[in-house]
Structures are given as structure tokens and as C-alpha cells.
Amino acid sequence: GSQLPQEAVAALADRTEGWAAGLQLAGLSLRGQRDVAGFVAAFAGSHRYVLDFLAEEVLERQDEQVRGFLLETSVLERLSGELCDAVTGRAGSQALLERIERAGLFLIPLDEVRGWWRYHHLFADLLRARLPEQRPGRVPGLHSNAASWYQQRGLADDAIRHAVAAGDTTWAARLIEQHFDAVFSLRGEAETIQRWLAALPADLVRSRPRLLVAQAVMAATSNRLAAGELLLDQAERALAAADEEPFEPSVGRADSGLANVPALIAVLRSTLAGFHDDAEAEAMFASRAEAALVGGERQLSYFVQFNRAAADWLRGRLTQAERVLAPVIAALRSAGLTTMAAWGGYQLVRIQRAQGRLDEAACTAQEVLDITVLPGRPPDPGAGPGYVALAEVAYQRNDLDTALSQVTEGIALCRQFVYTAPLSDGLAQLAWIRQAAGDPAGARATIGEAVQTALGPPGLHNPVPARRARLLLSQGDLAAAARWIQDCGLGADDQPDFPREQGHLVLARVLLAQGLPGQALALLDRLHAAAASQDRTGSMIEIGALRALALAARGEEADAIDALTQSLTLACPQGYVRMFADEGPPMAALLGKLIAQRGGAIAAGVPLSYLARLHRAVGAEALPAPGRGAAAAVPTLAEQLTSRELEILAMVAAGRPNKAIAAELVVSLDTVKKHVSHLLAKLGAASRTEAVARARELSLIP
């Protein structure tokens, strides 16, 4: 006959599991088939030749006991003696299985100790086709027995499959409810829950409050907020109509969200209000949830505290938010609830960054990694938010190589994490790293993906749209940034509030780009006063930098330098660099003027080495791939200075001895000496004094 295509042969060999007669039978069945690919895809034990062969040559030749056993256990995907006893209701299955294997009856061992087997696929197909013919009313009972056996052992997936096959979908629904917390809340397996729900009749799902709330949880964590609201409404209606059923979650009541449906509904309403930056509603629903707690519902009470802290954060009360959140994270860590502890740590990092405390933010992120990255085990998806948070700190400090490796690691893990917010933050961070490394097209593509995965409307919970508008503006697309401001309904006369602060800062930059520094300054003054009144240092640094640019644009140079010095005084102890570097040429010009009259800045506690680092970072905008030690090219030098050498040169010029330089840079004295000798060689200088004079001639230092 005609030759079969290679893929078809491979697919049939796979389906027949290398059984020679099976391949021959497949060949017979193929005769006269027009659609070879379709036949191969559908080829099963129900095809006529295979069916006849297996039925006549194998099944009919067995004694009644073996034949009955083969048919009844065909409902199982895997077989063990104990399971087959439970399903058939008869003892002695282990001996029978061993006998069947010895007789070569298409039974394949799944382990070395003869504990588990399965039937050859084609033989299983035949047995399942024959079972309802030869044992008509027996099928539901067999599946029911299997479901009970799996349920007793906590094997939810198999138990649910058999309960559905037994026709008892209410039982399957109860099993899904019992295992939801373990499968989704602890392991983040949304696809498993969706697959289970798809096997149930839609009207059954709509009648069960717990299944509706479970779906609302999944909707709220995956950016389907409107769907989440709708499901909560349906759950409340179903709750009023449903009879109370006893409920024992597989994780225990303490760690279950579904243990108390009214409390969980209030928690979710609180969370959804937070995504809409509505602090009052978030706090109100959190109180309602707390009032609905019965006692001992640990996980729900943690969620209540999370939402309390988030409401304080939205109001800009950062110290209060941290006071609520820190003990909850500690409790979650000691309880081993890593997913929730990682989420809490990620929220705490956001609060600490708003306070301008990069060191603490890095420590909190590291604590997330301490519980999610364990030696000899693959990292938990909860490590994703930890890596993203560390990358944010490294980026602010202009350590772009570290930021890139951490954010890459973080994004991969965040793709498996329950909540999408850390993923969108990580992608937005990656976009800014690409922008800083001179890849604007890559930056635009990445920030586009970040917007797709972000949770909720633009605001404090979702800073990604503001970061995108700012990125487009820094790439020169003023029209797109101005359009975004208009779409958000932001205006220069707005009264500031913390949730809209990032949007208002984009607006200030747009006004500066439009040549309206007066309007920008009035808005920034209000923002600065609001941030100062709440000790939000992170905000004060950024607003202060923009105030300095607005003053400079109005020609008020002395005030501009003053404002910049104040901002740098706050920023320097935490090592902020990109906050200033990302403002581009106007900031470079202003920094140059500050360095030229640097006496005042140094007196205010801004070291020259820090100014030099900032100036290089801003100047490096025009260079390829910063973060690799590239520095501005000086035409008359045979060999360019690295960024580290420039940093040390600034300190040498300030009269700092090697020992002090080593202490400030946290390197050994030998390392400093090596850098200084390289400096002298590159500058063709015999002494430190000569090197400084030569560097000034070349405008390497002011």
C-alpha cells in the first residue's frame, strides 16, 4: 500500500505503545481512509479491527473472574490492589493484578515494587467501551467507590473526576470547595480550579455561594474587577437562598478563606474598593469583615489587616500602614504561609519606598527571598515579588546590571504568582532599565505588556499607566503623555492626594515640557506640602527635584539650586541616582551649575563623590548601555576613565586620603591604590595634584 507519512507512523507507534500487532491492526483499519491525519488522531481501541482482536483474542479467553475484574477496574487511570478492592467491593485484587501482568494481559507497571499499574491505552479503550454493555447499571457505583477512596486520601483531582463520572455533581462541587484554599490560595493553580468548575453544570455553580466567591477571588487577583463585583453580588443572593451545609476545608478552618463566606465577601469588597483607590470604602468593608469573623479564622483575619494597612497607605499614612502590616507579615512567616507573606512583604516594600527608605525596602525584599528561595529546591513563585522589589532598589541606585538580572528572575516567577500586580511592576521596571540602557523600542514594548497585566484603574495600586506616560514623555512623545493626563481627568489646579500623586507628577513634567513652569511650580508646591505633612520622604525627593527644574525653567537659578540641594540632602543617604538621572538634560544642566558652586552643597551634607556619580549618570544618557562602566568620552585621553575611576578622581580632588575613599566606597585600601595608579597613568600625571589639575583642564571635574 501507499507509504504512511513519518509523523503518522510516530503517532500510531505512540498510541499502540509499541505493540506490534496493534500497529498491524492500525494498518488494516487505515485501508480506504481518506483523512489519514484525522484517523491517526482519533485512533483508539474502539476501531473495528482492534476492537475485534482485543475482544476475541484477549478478553473472551479469560475466565469470568478475570474478565469481570478487567471490565470493572477499567474506570481507573491507575490501579493498585487497595484501590481495586475498594472499587470492585471484592478483596484479593493485588494477587489478581500480579496474575494478569504475568499472563501478559496489557497491564503496564508504573513502579518497581508492583504497587501501581495501568492498562495499555488501546486495551483500556476496549474495556471502557464494553463495560456499559456487559455491566449496565454498574458504572456510576464503580466511579462513586473510586471517588470515595480518593477523597479519603485527600487526592482531590481524582476524587472530583470520579464524582462527576458517577453523575454526582453536587459531591464534586463540595470537593472543589473543600480544596479551593489549598489549590488556589496556597499553590496558585487557577487552571486546575477552572478545569474542575468546567465539569459542573452552570446552574449548580450559580446556586453555590462558596463556588461563586471562589470565582470572585480568582477574578479579583487576575484583573477582572468588574467580573469580581458581579460574582460577589450573585454570591450574596445565593447565600440568602442556600441552606447552610457543614464545611470542612482541606487546609483546616484557620487557613481557609471559604470557611466564612460573609466575612470573605466583605474582605473582597474591601480589596476591590482598594483597587479603585477608595480608602474609606476599603476601611469600612474591612471593619465589616472583622465583625463577621467567628474566631480562629486566621487567614481571614490576616486579610482584614492587609486591607486595613492598604487603606492607611492610600491615605498617605505610611507609618500607620507599616505598623499594621509588619506584625501580620511576621505571623504569616512563622505560620509558613509563604504566598501571603510574600504578598505582604511586597506591599511593605511599596510603603518603605514611599518613605524614601531604600535600605529597609531592600531588607524587606531579602526577607521575602529568605522564605521563598530554599537551598536544593526550585524557588517558590512568591520569590518573584521579592526579586522585583530588589530590582527597584538596584535601579534607583543605578546598578543597572544587578537590576536587570533580578527583575528578569522576578518576572519569570511572577508569571506563576497568584496576583498579577508584581508582574506588571516588574515589567514596568524592565522597561525603564531598557530605556536607561539606550533601547527605547524595547522599553516601549515592555511597558505595553506591563499595562496589559496591571491590576485595576490607574492609581496607587496600579502605578504602571503613569510610568508608561512618563516613559513616552522622556522619549519625546509629549502628545501621548498629555492625552493620558486628559483621559485621567487630571488638572493643574487639583488638590493633591497620595493615590493620584504619580499622575500629578507626570502632569508637572508635561507642563514643563509645554513651557509652562509657573503652572508646574504651583502644582508641585501643593504636592510638596502634602508630602511633607505626612513625612513621605520618597515623594519629597522626587517632587523636590521637579520643583528645582521648574524654578530653573523660570530663570530663578539660586532658588533652583537651593531646591535641588534640599532634594539631594534627602536622597544622598539612601543612594538615589535614577530619580535624578531619568529627568535627562535639564537635570544635567542644573547639576552642572550646582557642582560649579559646590561649596554650599557640601556644607549641606551632599558629598562631591555623590554629585559626581549623579552627574555621570545624567551625562551617560547619550551613551550605549550604562551600568557597564562606560563614561563620557574625553577626546584627548588615549584611554578613557571608567565610572569608578571618575568617582575616585572626584574624591581625590576633594582632598580625601586613600583610607577615607576606601571606607566610603566599602572597598579595600589596595583596591583604591590600584584605581589611583590607573588614574595617574591614564592622565599622564606624576602625582595626585598633577592628576587633579590635568582632569580640570579636560573638564572631567569642575
Side-chain angles (χ1 to χ4, degrees):
S2 60
Q3 283 292 293
L4 272 182
Q6 204 50 49
E7 307 84 81
V9 173
L12 281 175
D14 186 46
R15 192 80 187 95
T16 56
E17 301 186 75
W19 171 39
L23 264 174
Q24 284 176 316
L25 294 167
L28 287 174
S29 306
L30 260 170
R31 285 182 187 161
Q33 293 285 345
R34 287 216 179 83
D35 176 11
V36 171
F39 170 83
V40 171
F43 180 72
S46 56
H47 277 279
R48 189 165 56 84
Y49 290 104
V50 181
L51 204 62
D52 291 350
F53 175 88
L54 289 171
E56 287 164 23
E57 299 293 318
V58 182
L59 192 58
E60 300 308 328
R61 294 190 177 189
Q62 305 311 315
D63 63 46
E64 183 53 42
Q65 184 196 15
V66 169
R67 190 161 64 242
F69 179 85
L70 291 170
L71 288 168
E72 292 190 348
T73 55
S74 70
V75 299
L76 299 169
E77 289 187 358
R78 302 185 304 281
L79 305 99
S80 75
E82 196 189 338
L83 172 56
C84 291
D85 282 353
V87 168
T88 60
R90 288 186 295 276
S93 300
Q94 179 70 26
L96 208 48
L97 283 163
E98 290 175 15
R99 186 178 132 200
I100 288 167
E101 188 194 353
R102 280 197 302 276
L105 288 178
F106 297 96
L107 191 65
I108 297 167
L110 295 176
D111 57 30
E112 299 298 313
V113 294
R114 298 295 185 268
W116 287 93
W117 289 267
R118 69 170 175 81
Y119 290 122
H120 186 294
H121 292 318
L122 297 178
F123 192 46
D125 288 339
L126 161 81
L127 293 173
R128 284 169 198 152
R130 284 295 159 96
L131 173 63
E133 295 168 15
Q134 299 194 5
R135 300 274 194 284
R138 193 86 173 91
V139 178
L142 295 167
H143 280 295
S144 187
N145 293 344
S148 293
W149 190 88
Y150 280 118
Q151 180 182 7
Q152 283 160 15
R153 283 151 189 79
L155 298 166
D157 203 45
D158 293 296
I160 290 163
R161 187 163 40 78
H162 284 292
V164 169
D168 194 339
T169 49
T170 303
W171 182 12
R174 284 200 191 110
L175 286 166
I176 296 170
E177 290 163 0
Q178 281 175 336
H179 291 275
F180 174 78
D181 293 289
V183 174
F184 179 75
S185 304
L186 296 183
R187 299 206 298 270
E189 294 175 18
E191 292 80 9
T192 303
I193 302 288
Q194 298 289 16
R195 175 165 56 76
W196 289 349
L197 289 170
L200 302 183
D203 55 351
L204 175 68
V205 176
R206 277 195 298 272
S207 72
R208 298 188 67 84
R210 281 198 175 87
L211 289 185
L212 291 164
V213 179
Q215 291 179 93
V217 169
M218 296 197 296
T221 53
S222 64
N223 203 20
R224 293 177 293 118
L225 305 190
E229 301 271 8
L230 209 63
L231 285 158
L232 290 177
D233 293 343
Q234 290 176 356
E236 281 183 331
R237 286 198 295 276
L239 191 61
D243 297 326
E244 182 55 40
E245 287 181 7
F247 178 66
E248 276 311 318
S250 65
V251 292
R253 288 188 76 82
D255 294 326
S256 167
L258 289 186
N260 181 336
V261 173
L264 182 55
I265 289 174
V267 161
L268 288 169
R269 292 219 185 272
S270 175
T271 303
L272 291 168
F275 286 140
H276 290 284
D277 288 337
D278 185 344
E280 304 317 309
E282 181 159 33
M284 183 267 289
F285 280 117
S287 296
R288 192 177 288 182
E290 190 163 45
L293 293 177
V294 179
E297 290 156 348
R298 184 170 63 170
Q299 191 190 71
L300 282 165
S301 79
Y302 290 147
F303 277 130
V304 169
Q305 297 309 316
F306 272 174
N307 288 1
R308 282 247 155 83
D312 281 323
W313 174 57
L314 282 172
R315 293 168 172 143
R317 299 179 195 163
L318 304 180
T319 311
Q320 178 58 25
E322 181 166 11
R323 204 176 293 136
V324 175
L325 198 51
V328 180
I329 297 168
L332 288 164
R333 285 186 61 170
S334 61
L337 296 169
T338 47
T339 300
M340 285 178 72
W343 176 247
Y346 167 76
Q347 293 294 75
L348 184 54
V349 164
R350 287 174 148 188
I351 292 165
Q352 290 165 334
R353 284 215 327 271
Q355 292 170 317
R357 292 158 52 206
L358 293 185
D359 286 336
E360 272 100 335
C363 283
T364 302
Q366 188 55 55
E367 284 168 7
V368 169
L369 296 183
D370 291 344
I371 56 167
T372 50
V373 184
L374 301 173
R377 304 229 306 255
D380 188 275
Y387 281 118
V388 167
L390 275 181
E392 297 256 0
V393 174
Y395 177 79
Q396 275 306 335
R397 291 175 168 166
N398 203 33
D399 184 353
L400 298 186
D401 292 345
T402 302
L404 180 61
S405 76
Q406 286 169 340
V407 87
T408 306
E409 184 96 20
I411 287 168
L413 289 163
C414 282
R415 290 192 193 281
Q416 310 155 46
F417 191 62
V418 179
Y419 308 93
T420 61
L423 172 61
S424 59
D425 279 358
L427 289 164
Q429 191 55 66
L430 177 58
W432 275 96
I433 293 167
R434 289 186 167 155
Q435 172 73 4
D439 176 13
R444 275 197 307 279
T446 309
I447 203 92
E449 191 190 344
V451 171
Q452 297 303 308
T453 56
L455 257 179
L460 198 56
H461 272 282
N462 178 12
V464 173
R467 292 178 80 176
R468 176 179 177 271
R470 191 182 157 198
L471 181 79
L472 294 174
L473 183 61
S474 70
Q475 293 189 0
D477 193 346
L478 173 57
R483 233 185 353 265
W484 181 76
I485 290 293
Q486 203 174 352
D487 291 346
C488 290
L490 297 169
D493 302 324
D494 290 348
Q495 272 315 304
D497 58 38
F498 185 43
R500 293 189 300 165
E501 183 178 84
Q502 284 305 308
H504 280 132
L505 290 176
V506 174
L507 169 56
R509 291 181 177 95
V510 166
L511 292 169
L512 285 174
Q514 289 171 335
L516 300 167
Q519 285 188 43
L521 190 61
L523 173 62
L524 289 164
D525 284 344
R526 290 199 302 283
L527 289 166
H528 197 272
S533 74
Q534 294 186 312
D535 284 331
R536 292 190 275 104
T537 306
S539 298
M540 286 158 69
I541 293 169
E542 187 173 357
I543 297 163
L546 289 174
R547 281 186 73 244
L549 293 180
L551 287 162
R554 292 181 66 174
E556 299 171 31
E557 194 173 293
D559 288 344
I561 285 174
D562 231 18
L564 183 57
T565 304
Q566 283 171 29
S567 178
L568 292 171
T569 306
L570 294 174
C572 173
Q574 295 291 323
Y576 280 93
V577 174
R578 295 308 313 178
M579 191 78 94
F580 303 93
D582 288 339
E583 300 303 337
M587 183 57 75
L590 191 55
L591 270 168
K593 287 173 179 161
L594 173 58
I595 292 167
Q597 45 170 296
R598 66 184 186 277
I602 289 169
V606 185
L608 184 62
S609 57
Y610 178 57
L611 289 178
R613 200 156 92 225
L614 287 173
H615 201 237
R616 268 198 314 285
V618 181
E621 290 306 296
L623 295 176
R628 312 220 169 252
V634 180
T636 51
L637 277 184
E639 194 184 345
Q640 303 299 328
L641 302 188
T642 65
S643 53
R644 182 57 104 181
E645 287 163 357
L646 280 167
E647 202 169 341
I648 289 170
L649 174 61
M651 295 187 194
V652 169
R656 310 284 288 284
N658 285 354
K659 208 169 193 175
I661 296 174
E664 181 158 343
L665 296 179
V666 202
V667 295
S668 71
L669 194 55
D670 281 348
T671 302
V672 174
K673 286 177 180 166
K674 206 177 291 169
H675 281 307
V676 171
S677 69
H678 287 166
L679 260 174
L680 298 182
K682 287 181 180 182
L683 290 164
S687 68
R688 290 161 74 105
T689 319
E690 197 183 319
V692 170
R694 177 108 171 86
R696 289 213 169 100
E697 278 168 36
L698 295 168
S699 303
L700 283 171
I701 49 174

